[in-house]
């Protein structure tokens, strides 16, 4: 399925009180809605991913995978502020006829969810069978569930948290310091801040992986060298990869949005907000080697959402494990959904016989 774009013909109010004069939402959809519209799988993507979930989450999503386009209607929308088609800093501001650049207003996870809801309404979706996301995507699924904007039957939150930690904010701020240290970052041009983006991505990668992973994949065979190390070239390579496909301004705004994540903002205690997510079958997945979203954050979520299940996904790769350990993750998710579908069938049978 190719990229689709929905043009929302109204102002879009942001949590900050500011408004976008117009909004476009880029998304991919796969498969078709069944007759009773009960087969929707909605995926919320992570920081620099896009809406083509069949491309970036193979092994779990695909034509021959567990989540496929024959059994399900799968939707993944590009987040507000991102580089891949949804309104972002490089989008033309209709009020000026030029890209927003740094005039783009700050957005939050809640703003992203509000945009998702607008798209869901446009697509005629009134019920999500399974809402799934990892990392920043997991922040979105929790916020959507807490907002109670739409009926959700199954919720799967992976490697995420109920509010972003000081540790995570510090990682993001360090990356933004790298972005803004590039003097071109402030120039009103499409390729602004590329050297800063390269450095920021190098920093971020350290939070996505682990000491042990580098100790194996980047180990040197030549013990006599004093420069040009594998680990050095790997960091530069990963930075260059992102520069070729993303932009510094979107990266800046998305890290700010991640920092903003807090389910308790203007709602009350986080525990109470999580406890209000009841009546939804919930699976929370943590990764013990994850240094960015350590497993105690997922344990906290599972402890406070009524009847939530917690699973630890062991991975050599740290935070990125949820994108790599798809064989194990598929089995865990399939067991979770099969069990809860069986419970639902039994409940329906009881109700029919009453």
């Amino acid at each position: 399925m190719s990229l689709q774009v929905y043009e929302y013909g109204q102002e879009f109010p942001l949590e900050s009180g500011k408004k976008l004069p117009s909004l476009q939402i880029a998304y991919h959809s796969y498969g078709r809605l069944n007759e009773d519209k009960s087969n929707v799988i909605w995926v919320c993507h992570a920081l620099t991913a896009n809406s083509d979930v069949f491309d970036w989450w193979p092994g779990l999503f695909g034509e021959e995978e567990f989540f496929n386009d024959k059994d399900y209607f799968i939707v993944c929308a590009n987040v507000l502020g991102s580089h891949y088609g949804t309104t972002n800093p490089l989008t033309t501001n209709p009020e000026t006829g030029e890209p927003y650049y740094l005039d783009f207003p700050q957005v939050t996870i809640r703003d992203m969810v509000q945009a998702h809801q607008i798209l869901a309404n446009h697509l005629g979706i009134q019920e999500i069978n399974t809402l799934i996301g990892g990392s920043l995507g997991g922040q979105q699924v929790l916020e959507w569930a807490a907002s109670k904007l739409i009926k959700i039957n199954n919720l799967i939150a992976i490697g995420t948290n109920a509010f972003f930690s000081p540790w995570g904010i510090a990682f993001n701020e360090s990356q933004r310091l790298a972005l803004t240290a590039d003097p071109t970052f402030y120039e009103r041009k499409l390729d602004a801040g590329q050297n800063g983006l390269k450095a920021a991505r190098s920093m971020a990668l350290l939070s996505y992986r682990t000491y042990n992973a580098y100790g194996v994949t980047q180990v040197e065979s030549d013990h006599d060298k004093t420069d040009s190390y594998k680990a050095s070239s790997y960091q530069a390579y990963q930075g260059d990869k992102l520069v070729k496909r993303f932009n510094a301004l979107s990266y800046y705004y998305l890290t700010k949005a991640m920092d903003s994540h807090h389910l308790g903002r203007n709602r009350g205690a986080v525990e109470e907000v999580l406890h209000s997510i009841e009546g939804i079958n919930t699976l929370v997945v943590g990764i013990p080697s994850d240094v960015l979203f350590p497993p105690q954050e997922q344990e906290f979520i599972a402890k406070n959402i009524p009847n939530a299940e917690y699973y630890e996904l062991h991975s050599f790769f740290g935070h990125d494990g949820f994108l790599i350990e798809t064989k194990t993750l598929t089995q865990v998710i399939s067991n979770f959904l099969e069990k809860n579908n069986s419970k639902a069938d039994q409940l329906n049978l009881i109700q029919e016989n009453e």
Side-chain angles (χ1 to χ4, degrees), residues 56-354:
W56 58 261
W57 214 347
L60 182 60
F61 287 85
E63 293 182 357
E64 303 300 326
E65 306 297 354
F66 178 75
F67 288 125
N68 60 75
D69 56 1
K70 295 183 287 294
D71 298 325
Y72 299 106
F73 180 55
I74 301 168
V75 180
C76 183
N78 185 225
V79 297
L80 183 64
S82 176
H83 179 74
Y84 292 108
T86 296
T87 302
N88 69 82
L90 298 187
T91 300
T92 299
N93 181 348
E95 296 180 345
T96 65
E98 297 180 350
Y100 285 98
Y101 298 118
L102 287 171
D103 294 330
F104 193 72
Q106 186 170 322
V107 299
T108 67
I109 301 297
R110 289 187 190 176
D111 294 326
M112 294 175 181
V113 166
Q114 292 292 334
H116 291 334
Q117 186 61 51
I118 286 172
L119 178 61
N121 294 341
H122 166 68
L123 295 175
I125 295 172
Q126 299 176 338
E127 173 183 338
I128 297 175
N129 177 290
T130 302
L131 179 62
I132 180 172
S135 193
L136 180 140
Q139 293 177 337
Q140 294 167 64
V141 305
L142 291 172
E143 175 60 39
W144 209 349
S147 70
K148 297 178 172 53
L149 295 171
I150 195 169
K151 182 181 179 183
I152 301 165
N153 296 324
N154 301 293
L155 179 70
I156 303 174
I158 308 168
T160 193
N161 46 26
F163 55 91
F164 206 42
S165 67
W167 174 248
I169 293 170
F171 261 114
N172 281 350
E173 182 62 22
S174 297
Q175 294 174 66
R176 289 190 293 269
L177 289 172
L179 289 170
T180 56
D182 182 340
T184 70
F185 179 78
Y186 296 98
E187 297 178 6
R188 296 176 71 84
K189 59 181 187 177
L190 300 181
D191 60 352
Q194 290 190 340
N195 286 332
L197 179 59
K198 179 177 178 178
R201 183 61 166 184
S202 177
M203 292 178 182
L205 198 63
L206 298 177
S207 70
Y208 302 154
R209 301 292 172 83
T210 65
Y211 175 96
N212 289 333
Y214 274 76
V216 172
T217 62
Q218 305 305 321
V219 68
E220 298 290 341
S221 57
D222 180 3
H223 303 303
D224 296 327
K225 66 163 51 179
T226 59
D227 201 357
S228 302
Y229 298 105
K230 287 183 179 180
S232 300
S233 61
Y234 180 71
Q235 296 303 104
Y237 166 72
Q238 291 294 340
D240 286 334
K241 275 182 63 178
L242 187 67
V243 168
K244 291 176 181 176
R245 69 175 181 87
F246 216 70
N247 79 79
L249 299 184
S250 280
Y251 198 86
Y252 180 91
Y253 279 94
L254 292 181
T255 60
K256 283 281 192 179
M258 179 176 274
D259 290 357
S260 78
H261 174 59
H262 201 301
L263 293 180
R265 186 170 58 254
N266 297 320
R267 289 185 177 130
V270 176
E271 292 88 347
E272 294 177 1
V273 176
L274 289 170
H275 193 75
S276 74
I277 303 176
E278 55 185 350
I280 301 176
N281 303 315
T282 302
L283 172 66
V284 185
V285 179
I287 303 172
S289 59
D290 189 343
V291 298
L292 184 58
F293 293 85
Q296 59 262 35
E297 295 189 330
Q298 294 86 59
E299 291 172 350
F300 174 81
I301 295 168
K303 178 182 177 181
N304 286 285
I305 294 180
N307 302 312
E309 297 183 28
Y310 174 68
Y311 179 83
E312 283 199 339
L313 178 68
H314 291 272
S315 176
F316 180 72
F317 296 99
H319 184 62
D320 276 353
F322 79 92
L323 298 171
I324 298 171
E325 312 293 350
T326 51
K327 183 176 181 180
T328 301
L329 191 59
T330 297
Q331 188 61 55
V332 172
I333 290 173
S334 63
N335 290 343
F336 167 75
L337 293 178
E338 182 179 355
K339 177 177 63 177
N340 286 302
N341 287 337
S342 177
K343 286 182 181 178
D345 290 342
Q346 291 176 11
L347 180 61
N348 290 335
L349 184 61
I350 292 172
Q351 292 174 341
E352 289 173 1
N353 292 331
E354 286 180 347

